[in-house]
């Protein structure tokens, strides 16, 4: 309802008398230009009409974006005019740009400066410099401290409409059509009455029992009792709803009526308790909020479908939900037996949060960035601690728009103007250049003056102190900040950045030649700065970058690590890499020790987790006096079985060139006391063995590099068998063998593929490889290739499937294998919705002092996430990041070349990867 205007009391009579002497006073309504959605104004035409009738001149800056048309302001007596410099009072909703401020004027708007918000301090500085008097609506409060000028109700109304729309989308993504699908975003309605009707229509369908039964009763929790919460509840009341007490929420969430929805309003006493005695004392809480904790996570949240949060959070007060709380709340519920596939149960109870407070990092700890009207929803995945713009995938649907009333701009303008109008005249009847102490302001207006005559007012001098203390803290924090340089932006970089950016004291620079990947990563993660460069071609710039950081993580191909290590040695900076400790790296051992730095290698998956799982088992065995008689470890990154639909039975989730080159490496291993040597060049593919430990996966394995070198570092010189190998699906090795026969896995320089050479097609290249002079008919080339493959049909089919006999240009590269790698990366990627998997099996044979034998089996199987990280990225990235964090924090302080073979290193890493969902299992077989 509109509040009626009355000017018959003493105060207004005084105003009318006064206005006769100030008929030339001018008010201006400035154009809103903070963003495209800001269509509100601080005053509506009816308020302008009242002011002009009182003798004041009202200027309105032209704006086609403003929801209320200019002709309505003109009809009310306003003057549409760009130049507003004659106004003594300029009013707006949001802050103006600094370059549009006019000196020595009165300004009224939401300045967002009272907490010394860093983003708005330049604006405040300019206001002080230009001796502007600033009235901040947020500080216009009555004698009880309650705000008298606010949009709060309409934030609640719009927020509730939006989250009902979002729930419709989220339910659909989970497999359920619901009546909420017919509710749109708040700005899609001309006014709130239309929105109410849409909500009522949805409510009518709910009352008919049209909600899917498998979703269970829906519960909505409203925090706070102010206008924000009341506005949201007003819209909620258009549904067939029943409000219950918070302690009744558990019961109705489990057995409530599906023909209605349930709501509860949460006040402080419902969830806040003193830490030492579990009691709540409102007076004591106001004095000592740090002594209290919230039980919302255990008493309310487990029974909540949708949280509508309208409370602001201040430092030292308890949060409603932390990241750890979210992880527990998102644990999958146990499905009822026999639930039809088409009628799935919900994955967890808490589906959505509408944080109307839009208080980043506040009462909802993991709400770290606001959404927008353009992109209103995101999903928070608590397990990975990432936010992705979608309504699909795992997690909680989040909506946290910070300008909600802008979605219902006409009603919000009229509502706000009604609240502001009683105070306009006293602000208007003063000049900004006049001393503040000469003004006859009411307490509501006087207490809202932030700055005047070039200074902060006495009540707000604390802002400067806040700024100084924050800047001092930032200076100290900069001294405490750990600076990490990440080289490479490929598959593994996501988990590395995600893990390290959880600590706000870690600043990251990521350098890569892949500009698009850099843009995506810097957009996704805070505290990350990107540098677009080719590390290998700009050694001086690399050295300069390394010097500025405390630690380097190299995710580049292993061949680049010696160069990076040398830069780290020269600048005395620690280095972490997931790759093998190659001979070229080992040559730097003495230099690393002399520099007094730590260089950690082999902390990915293989090598990495395979070492750690082996050493955990070996060390435990030695503690009971057992000796190791055999050690076999096989590991592979594969597409999930349902996505292995190509001749290679393989897709790429990491460096394609590394995968290809591994097939022509030499290998050495120990079998029953005999050292077996396999020469380089492809003989490895003739040493393939069928793997039957997971029969359903149809796996094969072949040896990987020199296994015998691990006897000494593992401390298992007693072992008669020592073999580390690679897993693939059956058929992979045979197909790769065909590529070897054709000379495609050749790392030698091949000038004809350089960027300066004329482009070859695959058909032309293949002619050269099989010794045919082009041009030739396809059938002739096919027959020649078939002969080269020793008439192996499956190998020929793989060559044809990849288009290696066709007219597609060969990618530019330094070598043939480099070109093939690029081609395969394009033709064998993981498609949308496809996932990879990691399979690892360690088998360790033990002889106990009693003489009996025991076989230990350690299995690790990890699947990638459809909307998140691949299994390879997780199992390489998280261990690498954890090791890097341990170096930063001083947990790993040993100097020199390090691999994770000691308990003080592998123990914490294995414990922490479990927290990231990388879980392994063990079992034993005792043999007499």
């Amino acid at each position: 309802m509109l509040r009626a205007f009355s000017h018959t009391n003493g105060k207004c009579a005084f105003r009318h008398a006064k206005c006769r002497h100030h008929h030339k006073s001018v008010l201006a309504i400035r154009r809103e230009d903070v963003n495209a959605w800001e269509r509100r104004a601080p005053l509506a035409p009816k308020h302008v009409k009242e002011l002009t009738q009182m003798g004041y001149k009202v200027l309105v800056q032209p704006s086609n974006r403003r929801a209320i048309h200019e002709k309505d302001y003109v009809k009310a007596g306003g003057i549409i005019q760009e130049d507003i410099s004659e106004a003594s009072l300029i009013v707006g909703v949001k802050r103006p740009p600094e370059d549009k401020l006019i000196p020595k004027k009165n300004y009224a708007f939401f300045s967002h400066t009272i907490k010394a918000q860093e983003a708005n301090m330049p604006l405040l500085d300019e206001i002080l410099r230009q001796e502007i008097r600033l009235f901040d609506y947020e500080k216009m409060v009555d004698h009880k401290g309650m705000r008298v000028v606010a949009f709060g109700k309409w934030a609640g109304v719009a927020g509730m409409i939006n989250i009902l729309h979002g729930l419709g989308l989220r339910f659909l993504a989970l497999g359920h059509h619901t009546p909420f699908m017919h509710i749109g975003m708040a700005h899609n309605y001309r006014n709130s009455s239309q929105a109410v009707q849409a909500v009522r229509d949805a409510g009518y369908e709910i009352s008919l029992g049209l909600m899917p039964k498998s979703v269970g009763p829906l519960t909505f929790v409203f925090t706070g009792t102010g206008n924000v919460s009341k506005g949201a509840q007003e819209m909620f009341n258009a549904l067939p709803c029943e409000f219950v007490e918070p302690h009744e929420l558990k019961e109705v969430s489990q057995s409530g009526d599906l023909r209605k929805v349930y709501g509860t309003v949460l006040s402080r006493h419902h969830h806040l308790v003193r830490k030492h005695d579990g009691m709540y004392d409102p007076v004591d809480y106001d004095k000592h909020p740090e002594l209290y904790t919230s039980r919302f996570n255990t008493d309310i949240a487990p029974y909540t479908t949708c949280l509508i949060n309208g409370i602001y959070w201040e430092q030292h007060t308890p949060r409603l939900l932390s990241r750890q709380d979210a992880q527990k709340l998102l644990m999958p519920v146990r499905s009822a037996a026999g639930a039809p596939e088409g009628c799935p149960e919900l994955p967890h109870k808490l589906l959505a949060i509408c944080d109307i407070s839009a208080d980043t990092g506040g009462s909802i700890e993991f709400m770290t960035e606001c959404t927008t009207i353009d992109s209103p929803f995101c999903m928070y995945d608590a397990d990975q601690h990432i936010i992705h713009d979608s309504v699909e995938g795992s997690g909680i649907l989040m909506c946290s728009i910070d300008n909600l009333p802008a979605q219902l701009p006409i009603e919000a303008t009229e509502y706000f103007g009604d609240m502001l109008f009683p105070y306009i005249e006293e602000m208007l009847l003063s000049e900004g250049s006049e001393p503040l102490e000469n003004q006859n302001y009411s307490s509501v207006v006087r207490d809202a003056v932030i700055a005047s005559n070039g200074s902060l007012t006495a009540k707000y001098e604390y802002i400067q102190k806040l700024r100084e203390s924050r800047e001092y803290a930032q200076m100290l924090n900069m001294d405490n900040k750990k600076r990490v340089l990440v080289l490479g932006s490929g598959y593994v970089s996501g988990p590395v950045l995600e893990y390290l950016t959880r600590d706000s004291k870690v600043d990251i620079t990521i350098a890569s030649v892949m500009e698009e990947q850099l843009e995506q990563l810097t957009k996704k993660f805070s505290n990350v700065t990107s540098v677009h460069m080719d590390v290998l071609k700009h050694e001086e710039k690399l050295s300069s970058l390394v010097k500025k950081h405390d630690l380097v993580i190299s995710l580049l191909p292993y061949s680049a690590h010696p160069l990076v290590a040398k830069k780290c040695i020269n600048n005395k900076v620690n280095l972490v890499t997931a790759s093998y400790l190659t001979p070229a790296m080992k040559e730097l051992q003495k230099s690393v020790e002399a520099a007094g730095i730590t260089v950690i290698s082999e902390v990915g998956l293989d090598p990495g987790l395979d070492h750690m799982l082996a050493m955990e088992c070996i060390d435990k065995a030695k503690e009971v006096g057992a000796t190791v008689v055999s050690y076999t470890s096989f590991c592979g990154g594969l597409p999930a079985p349902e996505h292995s639909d190509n001749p290679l039975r393989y897709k790429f989730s990491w460096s394609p060139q590394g995968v290809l080159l591994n097939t022509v490496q030499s290998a050495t291993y120990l079998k029953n006391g005999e050292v077996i040597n396999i020469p380089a060049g492809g003989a490895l593919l003739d040493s393939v063995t069928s793997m039957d430990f997971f029969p359903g996966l149809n796996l094969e394995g072949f040896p990987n590099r020199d296994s015998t070198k691990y006897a000494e570092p593992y401390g298992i010189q007693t072992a008669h068998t020592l073999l580390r190998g690679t897993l693939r699906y059956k058929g992979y090795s045979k197909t790769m063998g065909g590529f070897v026969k054709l000379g495609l896995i050749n790392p030698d320089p091949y000038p004809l593929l350089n960027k300066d050479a004329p482009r070859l097609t695959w058909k032309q290249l293949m002619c050269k490889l099989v010794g045919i002079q082009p041009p030739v008919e396809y059938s002739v080339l096919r027959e020649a290739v078939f002969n080269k493959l020793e008439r192996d049909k499956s190998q020929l089919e793989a060559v044809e499937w990849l288009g290696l006999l066709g007219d597609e240009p060969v990618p530019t590269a330094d070598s043939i294998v480099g070109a093939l790698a690029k081609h395969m990366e394009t033709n064998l990627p993981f498609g949308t919705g496809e996932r990879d998997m990691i399979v690892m099996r360690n088998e360790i044979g033990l002889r106990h002092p009693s003489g009996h034998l025991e076989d230990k089996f350690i299995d690790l199987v990890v699947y990638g996430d459809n909307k998140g990280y691949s299994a390879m990225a997780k199992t390489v990235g998280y261990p690498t990041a954890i090791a890097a964090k341990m170096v930063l924090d001083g947990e790993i302080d040993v100097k020199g070349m390090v691999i994770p073979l000691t308990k003080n290193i592998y123990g914490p890493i294995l414990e922490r990867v479990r927290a990231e969902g990388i879980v392994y299992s063990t079992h034993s077989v005792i043999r007499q």
Side-chain angles (χ1 to χ4, degrees):
M1 295 292 291
L2 294 178
R3 186 171 64 188
F5 296 118
S6 174
H7 298 280
T8 59
N9 57 31
K11 184 176 180 181
C12 289
F14 163 77
R15 287 180 177 169
H16 277 296
K18 201 168 184 179
C19 79
R20 285 195 292 271
H21 300 287
H22 294 272
H23 61 279
K24 292 184 179 179
S25 293
V26 180
L27 175 141
I29 300 173
R30 65 173 300 275
R31 175 174 53 248
E32 298 297 325
D33 41 23
V34 66
N35 69 47
W37 285 98
E38 193 47 79
R39 299 173 293 156
R40 293 172 289 177
L43 297 171
K46 62 180 179 179
H47 308 117
V48 171
K49 182 177 182 180
E50 191 78 12
L51 287 166
T52 56
Q53 289 177 347
M54 292 163 63
Y56 297 110
K57 182 178 181 179
V58 180
L59 304 178
V60 181
Q61 270 195 323
S63 173
N64 288 347
R65 183 179 292 148
R66 193 180 292 121
I68 299 177
H69 200 276
E70 289 176 358
K71 68 179 183 180
D72 293 320
Y73 283 102
V74 172
K75 187 176 180 181
I79 300 170
I80 307 301
Q81 183 172 307
E82 181 66 31
D83 183 4
I84 56 174
S85 59
E86 66 176 302
S88 60
L89 173 65
I90 300 171
V91 295
V93 176
K94 295 290 190 178
R95 53 160 288 169
E98 288 98 303
D99 61 356
K100 293 187 178 179
L101 291 170
I102 303 173
K104 298 185 178 181
K105 297 291 184 181
N106 293 307
Y107 274 85
F109 55 87
F110 287 106
S111 73
H112 301 295
T113 59
I114 59 174
K115 295 181 183 177
Q117 289 96 317
E118 190 170 2
N120 293 323
M121 288 302 96
L123 171 68
L124 183 58
D125 288 339
E126 195 62 21
I127 285 170
L128 294 171
R129 190 184 72 80
Q130 297 197 30
E131 299 184 18
I132 288 168
R133 182 172 297 146
L134 170 61
F135 301 94
D136 194 316
Y137 304 134
E138 193 171 356
K139 298 307 293 183
M140 296 179 73
V141 298
D142 61 18
H143 66 283
K144 295 180 180 178
M146 301 297 291
R147 289 175 60 183
V148 297
V149 179
F151 285 102
K153 171 190 171 181
W154 293 99
V157 170
M160 193 69 218
I161 298 168
N162 292 341
I163 201 62
L164 292 177
H165 168 71
L167 278 172
L169 299 176
R170 180 59 179 155
F171 276 126
L172 189 65
L174 293 172
H176 310 281
H177 170 79
T178 66
F180 298 123
M181 280 298 295
H182 305 302
I183 300 173
M185 290 288 289
H187 59 267
N188 292 136
Y189 301 103
R190 291 180 61 86
N191 52 51
S192 61
S193 297
Q194 285 191 350
V196 168
Q197 188 57 53
V199 175
R200 283 177 179 162
D201 290 345
Y204 177 68
E205 293 188 6
I206 292 172
S207 69
L208 294 177
L210 299 183
M211 281 294 292
K213 292 181 180 179
S214 58
V215 307
L218 303 186
T219 55
F220 294 75
V221 173
F222 301 85
T223 60
T225 55
N227 288 331
V228 168
S229 182
K230 289 175 182 176
Q233 292 173 53
E234 185 178 304
M235 188 57 61
F236 181 70
N237 279 320
L239 295 170
C241 61
E242 177 184 341
F243 279 88
V244 298
E245 290 298 312
H247 69 269
E248 299 175 302
L249 203 61
K250 180 178 181 179
E251 180 180 352
V252 298
S253 74
Q254 296 170 347
S255 56
D257 189 344
L258 296 180
R259 293 169 298 177
K260 63 173 74 170
V261 294
Y262 294 89
T264 192
V265 181
L266 200 68
S267 296
R268 288 179 177 178
H269 68 275
H270 290 126
H271 68 104
L272 294 176
V273 294
R274 205 158 30 216
K275 294 175 183 177
H276 76 271
D277 63 4
M279 304 297 290
Y280 175 72
D281 181 336
V283 176
D284 181 55
Y285 177 78
D286 286 337
K287 293 179 180 177
H288 303 290
E290 72 280 359
L291 301 179
Y292 285 73
T293 188
S294 172
R295 287 183 176 166
F296 180 82
N297 62 329
T298 55
D299 296 357
I300 307 295
Y303 317 111
T304 302
T305 305
C306 179
L307 168 63
I308 296 90
N309 184 39
I311 58 173
Y312 288 88
W313 180 81
E314 294 183 3
Q315 286 285 350
H316 311 303
T317 61
R319 286 188 166 96
L320 283 176
L321 289 174
S322 67
R323 181 200 171 200
Q324 289 72 28
D325 296 332
Q327 284 181 312
K328 294 175 183 176
L329 292 167
L330 295 187
M331 291 289 289
V333 297
R334 185 174 297 176
S335 299
E341 183 179 347
C343 305
E345 293 186 348
L346 298 178
H348 39 75
K349 184 65 179 178
L350 182 59
L351 291 184
I353 295 176
C354 182
D355 193 356
I356 300 175
S357 74
D359 194 8
T360 56
S363 56
I364 310 295
E365 182 186 27
F366 46 85
M367 200 289 281
T368 55
E369 56 184 276
C370 292
T371 57
T372 64
I373 298 174
D374 292 303
S375 300
F377 305 111
C378 64
M379 293 293 296
Y380 173 68
D381 186 332
D383 284 335
Q384 296 191 36
H385 192 50
I386 59 171
I387 294 172
H388 51 89
D389 296 331
S390 175
V391 296
E392 300 180 348
S394 302
I396 304 171
L397 182 77
M398 304 285 290
C399 181
S400 52
I401 300 169
D402 63 359
N403 59 337
L404 285 165
Q407 292 184 271
L408 297 166
I410 296 177
E411 289 162 294
T413 294
E414 292 177 344
Y415 175 86
F416 185 83
D418 288 351
M419 303 178 82
L420 176 63
F421 186 83
Y423 307 100
I424 283 289
E425 191 176 13
E426 59 183 292
M427 292 189 278
L428 181 56
L429 292 176
S430 66
E431 293 294 334
S433 58
E434 297 173 354
L436 180 62
E437 55 269 20
N438 294 350
Q439 308 307 312
N440 187 28
Y441 292 144
S442 65
S443 60
V444 171
V445 173
R446 180 174 293 277
D447 288 347
V449 179
I450 305 293
S452 183
N453 309 107
S455 302
L456 293 170
T457 58
K459 186 175 180 180
Y460 298 100
E461 287 176 349
Y462 74 86
I463 293 177
Q464 183 58 31
K465 295 177 181 177
L466 271 181
R467 290 182 71 176
E468 290 171 357
S469 62
R470 184 187 65 234
E471 288 165 3
Y472 179 69
Q474 286 177 339
M475 183 182 70
L476 291 178
N477 198 31
M478 283 302 293
D479 292 339
N480 294 328
K481 284 260 187 183
K482 303 293 175 59
R483 291 170 289 273
V484 177
L485 174 62
V486 176
L487 302 176
S489 60
Y491 301 104
V492 176
S493 60
V496 170
L497 296 182
E498 185 272 311
Y499 187 88
L500 292 176
T501 53
R502 294 177 195 173
D503 186 344
S504 61
K505 292 183 179 179
V506 175
D507 276 342
I508 298 174
T509 303
I510 181 166
S512 171
V513 73
M514 306 300 290
E515 190 169 11
E516 186 175 341
Q517 290 178 356
L518 287 177
E519 289 178 4
Q520 292 172 350
L521 291 169
T522 52
K523 181 180 179 181
K524 185 174 183 179
F525 299 107
S526 58
N527 297 344
V528 175
T529 304
S530 66
V531 176
H532 181 226
M533 64 175 286
D534 188 331
V535 170
L536 301 180
K537 294 182 179 178
H538 298 87
E539 290 192 32
E540 287 187 14
K541 189 173 181 180
L542 172 62
S543 184
S544 177
L545 272 176
V546 169
K547 188 176 183 179
K548 296 174 183 176
H549 293 81
D550 301 300
L551 180 138
V552 176
I553 300 174
S554 180
L555 305 177
L556 301 171
Y558 70 88
S559 58
H561 295 330
L563 169 64
V564 175
K566 289 173 185 176
K567 303 302 180 186
C568 290
I569 291 166
N570 293 340
N571 292 287
K572 300 187 186 307
V573 174
N574 297 320
L575 171 65
V576 175
T577 171
S579 301
Y580 279 103
L581 183 59
T582 60
M585 286 290 284
K586 284 183 178 179
E587 289 177 4
L588 302 174
Q589 170 78 25
K590 291 183 179 179
S591 299
V592 169
E593 292 173 353
I597 64 172
T598 301
V599 175
I600 301 183
S601 301
E602 306 191 11
V603 284
L605 168 67
D606 175 8
L609 290 178
D610 55 347
H611 293 330
M612 301 181 223
L613 292 173
M615 290 310 303
E616 183 181 51
C617 178
I618 291 167
D619 285 346
K620 286 181 179 179
K622 289 181 177 179
E623 287 174 5
V624 297
T627 57
V628 176
V629 295
S630 65
Y631 171 77
T632 304
S633 176
F634 278 89
C635 180
L638 306 161
E642 67 270 25
H643 303 309
S644 59
D645 51 348
N646 63 68
L648 271 178
R649 284 79 163 168
Y650 194 80
K651 292 182 179 180
F652 291 96
S653 62
W654 69 291
S655 168
Q657 188 161 337
V659 173
L660 296 175
L661 288 175
N662 279 348
T663 61
V664 293
Q665 298 278 3
S666 62
T668 302
Y669 62 96
L670 182 67
K671 183 176 181 181
N672 297 325
E674 180 185 356
V675 175
I676 309 294
N677 290 300
I678 300 173
L684 190 66
L685 299 174
D686 298 325
S687 304
V688 176
T689 305
S690 177
M691 297 285 144
D692 58 2
F693 46 81
F694 292 127
L697 293 180
N698 200 25
L699 299 171
E700 63 184 25
F702 49 86
N704 187 10
R705 303 184 186 237
D706 184 0
S707 301
T708 61
K709 69 179 183 180
Y710 289 97
E712 183 175 345
Y714 279 15
I716 55 173
Q717 295 91 334
T718 54
H720 57 70
T721 295
L722 181 51
L723 171 61
R724 289 162 45 85
T726 299
L727 289 175
R728 294 288 184 261
Y729 289 122
K730 283 184 180 176
Y732 171 89
S733 298
K734 186 176 183 181
T735 300
M736 290 299 298
F739 297 151
V740 173
K741 292 175 188 176
L742 292 171
L744 289 167
I745 316 296
N746 187 345
D748 296 335
Y750 198 78
L752 292 179
L753 297 181
N754 290 347
K755 63 180 180 180
D756 298 328
R759 294 292 296 274
L760 292 177
T761 65
W762 280 109
K763 184 177 182 181
Q764 290 170 330
L765 176 61
M766 199 61 73
C767 284
K768 293 180 182 297
L769 293 178
V770 298
I772 295 179
Q773 186 67 35
V776 295
E777 293 292 328
Y778 181 91
S779 58
V780 174
L781 176 60
R782 184 180 185 276
E783 184 65 19
V785 169
F786 193 26
N787 289 331
K788 189 82 171 180
L789 295 173
E790 299 171 351
R791 313 295 291 180
D792 189 302
K793 291 183 179 180
S794 64
Q795 291 179 341
L796 178 63
E797 287 172 3
V799 169
E800 289 187 296
W801 188 90
L802 280 168
L804 301 183
L805 303 184
D807 294 323
E808 183 180 341
V810 181
T812 58
D814 295 329
S815 63
I816 295 175
V817 71
L820 182 62
K822 290 180 179 180
H823 183 73
M824 285 191 169
E825 188 170 23
T826 302
N827 287 274
L828 293 173
F830 283 89
T832 302
E834 295 184 346
R835 58 181 184 160
D836 68 333
M837 66 184 294
I838 294 299
V839 180
M840 182 188 292
R841 160 61 72 93
N842 283 356
E843 299 182 8
I844 302 175
L846 304 175
R847 184 181 298 278
H848 287 272
S850 62
H852 74 268
L853 300 176
E854 178 184 8
D855 290 330
K856 283 274 190 182
F857 301 95
I858 306 167
D859 295 323
L860 173 66
V861 179
V862 179
Y863 284 89
D865 303 315
N866 289 339
K867 298 291 184 178
Y869 299 127
S870 68
M872 182 65 75
K874 289 190 289 188
T875 52
V876 175
Y878 282 125
T880 301
I882 291 167
K885 190 67 165 60
M886 290 173 69
V887 174
L888 288 174
D889 293 343
E891 288 185 83
I892 299 176
D893 56 5
V894 61
K895 306 305 177 185
M897 295 288 192
V898 178
I899 58 176
L901 302 181
T902 55
K903 189 173 183 179
N904 65 318
I905 297 178
Y906 72 67
I909 294 177
L910 288 177
E911 179 182 350
R912 292 167 198 177
V913 296
R914 281 194 290 268
E916 305 303 328
I918 300 172
V919 181
Y920 56 91
S921 62
T922 63
H923 68 279
S924 296
V925 175
I926 304 297
R927 294 186 287 125
Q928 297 300 324

